[in-house]
Short mmCIF file of all heavy atoms in Angstrom, two decimals:
data_model
loop_
_atom_site.label_atom_id
_atom_site.label_comp_id
_atom_site.label_asym_id
_atom_site.label_seq_id
_atom_site.Cartn_x
_atom_site.Cartn_y
_atom_site.Cartn_z
N THR E 24 13.44 -6.54 32.10
CA THR E 24 13.62 -5.61 30.96
C THR E 24 14.19 -4.29 31.41
O THR E 24 14.21 -3.33 30.62
CB THR E 24 12.28 -5.39 30.25
OG1 THR E 24 11.35 -4.78 31.18
CG2 THR E 24 11.69 -6.69 29.69
N ALA E 25 14.69 -4.21 32.64
CA ALA E 25 15.24 -2.95 33.12
C ALA E 25 16.38 -2.47 32.24
O ALA E 25 17.18 -3.24 31.75
CB ALA E 25 15.73 -3.13 34.57
N GLU E 26 16.42 -1.16 32.06
CA GLU E 26 17.50 -0.58 31.25
C GLU E 26 18.79 -0.52 32.09
O GLU E 26 18.78 -0.03 33.22
CB GLU E 26 17.12 0.83 30.79
CG GLU E 26 18.16 1.47 29.89
CD GLU E 26 17.75 2.86 29.43
OE1 GLU E 26 16.65 3.31 29.80
OE2 GLU E 26 18.55 3.49 28.68
N LEU E 27 19.86 -1.02 31.55
CA LEU E 27 21.16 -1.00 32.21
C LEU E 27 22.21 -0.36 31.32
O LEU E 27 22.29 -0.68 30.13
CB LEU E 27 21.60 -2.43 32.56
CG LEU E 27 20.69 -3.25 33.51
CD1 LEU E 27 21.26 -4.65 33.65
CD2 LEU E 27 20.61 -2.58 34.85
N HIS E 28 23.03 0.49 31.90
CA HIS E 28 24.09 1.14 31.15
C HIS E 28 25.39 0.35 31.44
O HIS E 28 26.33 0.86 32.05
CB HIS E 28 24.21 2.60 31.56
CG HIS E 28 22.95 3.39 31.31
ND1 HIS E 28 22.53 3.71 30.03
CD2 HIS E 28 22.01 3.88 32.16
CE1 HIS E 28 21.40 4.40 30.12
NE2 HIS E 28 21.06 4.50 31.38
N VAL E 29 25.42 -0.87 30.92
CA VAL E 29 26.55 -1.75 31.24
C VAL E 29 27.85 -1.23 30.67
O VAL E 29 28.89 -1.37 31.29
CB VAL E 29 26.25 -3.15 30.67
CG1 VAL E 29 27.40 -4.11 30.96
CG2 VAL E 29 24.98 -3.69 31.27
N ASN E 30 27.79 -0.53 29.54
CA ASN E 30 29.02 -0.03 28.92
C ASN E 30 29.65 1.09 29.71
O ASN E 30 30.79 1.47 29.48
CB ASN E 30 28.76 0.44 27.48
CG ASN E 30 27.74 1.55 27.40
OD1 ASN E 30 27.00 1.83 28.36
ND2 ASN E 30 27.67 2.21 26.26
N GLN E 31 28.94 1.61 30.72
CA GLN E 31 29.49 2.65 31.57
C GLN E 31 30.15 2.09 32.83
O GLN E 31 30.76 2.81 33.60
CB GLN E 31 28.41 3.67 31.95
CG GLN E 31 27.83 4.42 30.76
CD GLN E 31 26.69 5.35 31.19
OE1 GLN E 31 26.50 5.63 32.34
NE2 GLN E 31 25.92 5.81 30.19
N ALA E 32 30.01 0.79 33.05
CA ALA E 32 30.60 0.15 34.22
C ALA E 32 32.05 -0.19 33.96
O ALA E 32 32.41 -0.59 32.82
CB ALA E 32 29.82 -1.11 34.58
N ASP E 33 32.88 -0.05 34.99
CA ASP E 33 34.29 -0.39 34.85
C ASP E 33 34.54 -1.88 35.00
O ASP E 33 35.59 -2.40 34.59
CB ASP E 33 35.10 0.36 35.91
CG ASP E 33 35.04 1.85 35.73
OD1 ASP E 33 35.58 2.33 34.69
OD2 ASP E 33 34.43 2.55 36.55
N ALA E 34 33.59 -2.63 35.58
CA ALA E 34 33.70 -4.06 35.75
C ALA E 34 32.35 -4.64 36.05
O ALA E 34 31.41 -3.94 36.43
CB ALA E 34 34.68 -4.38 36.91
N LEU E 35 32.25 -5.97 35.90
CA LEU E 35 31.00 -6.70 36.15
C LEU E 35 31.24 -7.78 37.20
O LEU E 35 32.29 -8.42 37.19
CB LEU E 35 30.47 -7.36 34.90
CG LEU E 35 30.20 -6.45 33.69
CD1 LEU E 35 29.70 -7.32 32.52
CD2 LEU E 35 29.22 -5.38 34.01
N ILE E 36 30.26 -7.96 38.09
CA ILE E 36 30.25 -9.07 39.03
C ILE E 36 28.95 -9.83 38.83
O ILE E 36 27.88 -9.21 38.75
CB ILE E 36 30.35 -8.56 40.50
CG1 ILE E 36 31.62 -7.76 40.73
CG2 ILE E 36 30.30 -9.74 41.46
CD1 ILE E 36 31.70 -7.13 42.11
N VAL E 37 29.03 -11.14 38.76
CA VAL E 37 27.87 -11.98 38.55
C VAL E 37 27.79 -12.95 39.71
O VAL E 37 28.65 -13.82 39.87
CB VAL E 37 27.92 -12.75 37.21
CG1 VAL E 37 26.57 -13.41 36.93
CG2 VAL E 37 28.31 -11.81 36.07
N MET E 38 26.75 -12.84 40.55
CA MET E 38 26.67 -13.59 41.78
C MET E 38 25.94 -14.96 41.54
O MET E 38 25.59 -15.30 40.44
CB MET E 38 25.94 -12.78 42.85
CG MET E 38 26.70 -11.50 43.24
SD MET E 38 28.42 -11.79 43.71
CE MET E 38 28.21 -12.86 45.16
N GLY E 39 25.74 -15.69 42.66
CA GLY E 39 25.15 -16.99 42.62
C GLY E 39 23.64 -16.98 42.63
O GLY E 39 23.00 -15.91 42.63
N GLY E 40 23.03 -18.16 42.74
CA GLY E 40 21.58 -18.27 42.78
C GLY E 40 21.18 -19.73 42.59
O GLY E 40 21.97 -20.57 42.12
N PRO E 41 19.95 -20.06 42.90
CA PRO E 41 19.50 -21.47 42.86
C PRO E 41 19.13 -21.95 41.46
O PRO E 41 18.93 -23.16 41.26
CB PRO E 41 18.26 -21.45 43.75
CG PRO E 41 17.70 -20.07 43.59
CD PRO E 41 18.92 -19.19 43.48
N MET E 42 19.02 -21.06 40.49
CA MET E 42 18.65 -21.47 39.15
C MET E 42 19.86 -22.04 38.41
O MET E 42 21.01 -22.00 38.90
CB MET E 42 18.05 -20.31 38.39
CG MET E 42 18.94 -19.09 38.22
SD MET E 42 19.16 -18.15 39.77
CE MET E 42 17.48 -17.60 40.10
N SER E 43 19.62 -22.64 37.26
CA SER E 43 20.70 -23.18 36.44
C SER E 43 21.06 -22.21 35.33
O SER E 43 20.20 -21.48 34.81
CB SER E 43 20.25 -24.52 35.82
OG SER E 43 21.17 -24.97 34.84
N ALA E 44 22.29 -22.23 34.97
CA ALA E 44 22.75 -21.42 33.84
C ALA E 44 22.08 -21.87 32.55
O ALA E 44 22.04 -21.13 31.56
CB ALA E 44 24.27 -21.49 33.68
N ASN E 45 21.54 -23.07 32.56
CA ASN E 45 20.86 -23.63 31.36
C ASN E 45 19.38 -23.32 31.33
O ASN E 45 18.71 -23.66 30.35
CB ASN E 45 21.05 -25.15 31.33
CG ASN E 45 22.48 -25.53 31.15
OD1 ASN E 45 23.21 -24.94 30.35
ND2 ASN E 45 22.94 -26.56 31.89
N ASP E 46 18.84 -22.70 32.40
CA ASP E 46 17.40 -22.38 32.43
C ASP E 46 17.05 -21.36 31.33
O ASP E 46 17.82 -20.41 31.10
CB ASP E 46 17.02 -21.82 33.79
CG ASP E 46 16.97 -22.88 34.85
OD1 ASP E 46 16.96 -24.08 34.50
OD2 ASP E 46 16.92 -22.53 36.04
N ASP E 47 15.95 -21.61 30.70
CA ASP E 47 15.49 -20.69 29.62
C ASP E 47 14.76 -19.49 30.24
O ASP E 47 13.52 -19.39 30.17
CB ASP E 47 14.57 -21.44 28.69
CG ASP E 47 14.19 -20.65 27.45
OD1 ASP E 47 14.89 -19.65 27.19
OD2 ASP E 47 13.21 -21.01 26.75
N LEU E 48 15.55 -18.63 30.86
CA LEU E 48 15.00 -17.44 31.52
C LEU E 48 15.49 -16.20 30.77
O LEU E 48 16.72 -16.04 30.58
CB LEU E 48 15.47 -17.39 32.97
CG LEU E 48 14.99 -18.55 33.88
CD1 LEU E 48 15.69 -18.54 35.22
CD2 LEU E 48 13.46 -18.46 34.04
N PRO E 49 14.59 -15.32 30.40
CA PRO E 49 14.97 -14.14 29.60
C PRO E 49 16.08 -13.32 30.27
O PRO E 49 17.00 -12.82 29.60
CB PRO E 49 13.68 -13.35 29.48
CG PRO E 49 12.59 -14.36 29.56
CD PRO E 49 13.11 -15.39 30.54
N TYR E 50 16.01 -13.16 31.60
CA TYR E 50 17.02 -12.30 32.23
C TYR E 50 18.39 -12.97 32.24
O TYR E 50 19.41 -12.26 32.18
CB TYR E 50 16.60 -11.91 33.64
CG TYR E 50 16.56 -12.99 34.69
CD1 TYR E 50 17.67 -13.35 35.42
CD2 TYR E 50 15.35 -13.64 34.95
CE1 TYR E 50 17.60 -14.36 36.37
CE2 TYR E 50 15.28 -14.67 35.92
CZ TYR E 50 16.42 -14.99 36.64
OH TYR E 50 16.37 -15.97 37.59
N LEU E 51 18.44 -14.31 32.26
CA LEU E 51 19.75 -14.98 32.17
C LEU E 51 20.31 -14.82 30.77
O LEU E 51 21.53 -14.66 30.58
CB LEU E 51 19.62 -16.44 32.53
CG LEU E 51 19.39 -16.76 34.02
CD1 LEU E 51 19.36 -18.28 34.22
CD2 LEU E 51 20.40 -16.09 34.92
N HIS E 52 19.45 -14.86 29.75
CA HIS E 52 19.91 -14.64 28.37
C HIS E 52 20.51 -13.22 28.25
O HIS E 52 21.55 -13.05 27.60
CB HIS E 52 18.75 -14.79 27.38
CG HIS E 52 18.20 -16.17 27.34
ND1 HIS E 52 18.98 -17.32 27.41
CD2 HIS E 52 16.91 -16.63 27.25
CE1 HIS E 52 18.22 -18.39 27.33
NE2 HIS E 52 16.94 -18.02 27.25
N ARG E 53 19.87 -12.26 28.90
CA ARG E 53 20.40 -10.89 28.85
C ARG E 53 21.75 -10.82 29.57
O ARG E 53 22.69 -10.18 29.08
CB ARG E 53 19.42 -9.91 29.49
CG ARG E 53 18.21 -9.59 28.71
CD ARG E 53 17.46 -8.40 29.34
NE ARG E 53 18.18 -7.14 29.09
CZ ARG E 53 17.91 -6.01 29.76
NH1 ARG E 53 17.00 -5.99 30.73
NH2 ARG E 53 18.58 -4.90 29.45
N GLU E 54 21.85 -11.48 30.71
CA GLU E 54 23.10 -11.46 31.46
C GLU E 54 24.25 -12.04 30.66
O GLU E 54 25.35 -11.53 30.66
CB GLU E 54 22.94 -12.19 32.78
CG GLU E 54 22.16 -11.43 33.84
CD GLU E 54 22.17 -12.13 35.17
OE1 GLU E 54 23.12 -12.86 35.49
OE2 GLU E 54 21.18 -11.95 35.93
N ILE E 55 23.98 -13.15 29.98
CA ILE E 55 25.00 -13.78 29.14
C ILE E 55 25.49 -12.79 28.08
O ILE E 55 26.68 -12.71 27.80
CB ILE E 55 24.48 -15.09 28.55
CG1 ILE E 55 24.37 -16.17 29.65
CG2 ILE E 55 25.36 -15.58 27.41
CD1 ILE E 55 23.70 -17.43 29.21
N GLN E 56 24.56 -12.08 27.49
CA GLN E 56 24.96 -11.08 26.49
C GLN E 56 25.78 -9.96 27.11
O GLN E 56 26.78 -9.50 26.54
CB GLN E 56 23.73 -10.50 25.80
CG GLN E 56 24.06 -9.57 24.63
CD GLN E 56 24.94 -10.24 23.60
OE1 GLN E 56 24.56 -11.29 23.04
NE2 GLN E 56 26.10 -9.69 23.32
N PHE E 57 25.40 -9.53 28.32
CA PHE E 57 26.16 -8.49 29.00
C PHE E 57 27.55 -8.98 29.34
O PHE E 57 28.55 -8.23 29.27
CB PHE E 57 25.43 -8.03 30.26
CG PHE E 57 24.17 -7.24 30.02
CD1 PHE E 57 23.06 -7.41 30.79
CD2 PHE E 57 24.14 -6.30 28.99
CE1 PHE E 57 21.90 -6.64 30.57
CE2 PHE E 57 23.00 -5.53 28.74
CZ PHE E 57 21.89 -5.73 29.55
N ILE E 58 27.63 -10.25 29.78
CA ILE E 58 28.96 -10.83 30.08
C ILE E 58 29.82 -10.84 28.83
O ILE E 58 30.99 -10.50 28.85
CB ILE E 58 28.80 -12.27 30.67
CG1 ILE E 58 28.14 -12.19 32.05
CG2 ILE E 58 30.15 -12.94 30.73
CD1 ILE E 58 27.70 -13.55 32.57
N ARG E 59 29.22 -11.29 27.73
CA ARG E 59 29.95 -11.32 26.45
C ARG E 59 30.45 -9.94 26.06
O ARG E 59 31.61 -9.76 25.67
CB ARG E 59 29.04 -11.90 25.35
CG ARG E 59 29.53 -11.74 23.91
CD ARG E 59 30.96 -12.15 23.71
NE ARG E 59 31.17 -13.56 23.94
CZ ARG E 59 32.38 -14.14 24.08
NH1 ARG E 59 33.47 -13.39 24.01
NH2 ARG E 59 32.49 -15.41 24.30
N ASP E 60 29.58 -8.93 26.19
CA ASP E 60 29.96 -7.57 25.84
C ASP E 60 31.08 -7.10 26.77
O ASP E 60 32.02 -6.42 26.30
CB ASP E 60 28.75 -6.63 25.95
CG ASP E 60 27.71 -6.90 24.90
OD1 ASP E 60 28.01 -7.59 23.93
OD2 ASP E 60 26.56 -6.41 25.05
N GLY E 61 30.99 -7.40 28.05
CA GLY E 61 32.03 -6.98 29.00
C GLY E 61 33.36 -7.62 28.66
O GLY E 61 34.40 -6.92 28.69
N ILE E 62 33.36 -8.90 28.35
CA ILE E 62 34.61 -9.57 27.97
C ILE E 62 35.18 -8.97 26.71
O ILE E 62 36.37 -8.70 26.62
CB ILE E 62 34.35 -11.09 27.80
CG1 ILE E 62 34.01 -11.73 29.15
CG2 ILE E 62 35.57 -11.77 27.19
CD1 ILE E 62 33.59 -13.17 29.08
N ASP E 63 34.32 -8.76 25.72
CA ASP E 63 34.76 -8.20 24.43
C ASP E 63 35.32 -6.78 24.59
O ASP E 63 36.25 -6.39 23.85
CB ASP E 63 33.62 -8.18 23.43
CG ASP E 63 33.22 -9.59 22.94
OD1 ASP E 63 34.01 -10.52 23.18
OD2 ASP E 63 32.12 -9.71 22.36
N ARG E 64 34.80 -6.04 25.55
CA ARG E 64 35.29 -4.68 25.80
C ARG E 64 36.53 -4.65 26.70
O ARG E 64 37.04 -3.61 26.99
CB ARG E 64 34.17 -3.84 26.42
CG ARG E 64 33.00 -3.56 25.47
CD ARG E 64 31.83 -2.91 26.22
NE ARG E 64 32.18 -1.65 26.83
CZ ARG E 64 32.19 -0.50 26.19
NH1 ARG E 64 31.82 -0.43 24.91
NH2 ARG E 64 32.51 0.61 26.82
N GLY E 65 36.96 -5.82 27.15
CA GLY E 65 38.14 -5.90 27.97
C GLY E 65 37.94 -5.49 29.43
O GLY E 65 38.88 -5.15 30.13
#
């Protein structure tokens, strides 16, 4: 639940890990939303 100022970043990097993108993990759901926002913001 950490607060992140993603809209202030000039770019996003998303690294690897042993979990699946399909895992029902709250932080992965947040990351997907951040990725979507980053793509939408160009």
Side-chain angles (χ1 to χ4, degrees):
T24 61
E26 183 178 0
L27 298 177
H28 301 289
V29 180
N30 61 345
Q31 297 177 13
D33 296 292
L35 303 179
I36 301 174
V37 190
M38 298 306 299
M42 58 288 298
S43 170
N45 296 318
D46 286 346
D47 187 17
L48 298 170
Y50 68 87
L51 289 185
H52 296 319
R53 286 191 74 195
E54 285 186 28
I55 287 172
Q56 186 57 57
F57 289 141
I58 292 168
R59 167 50 63 192
D60 291 345
I62 293 173
D63 289 346
R64 291 170 61 84

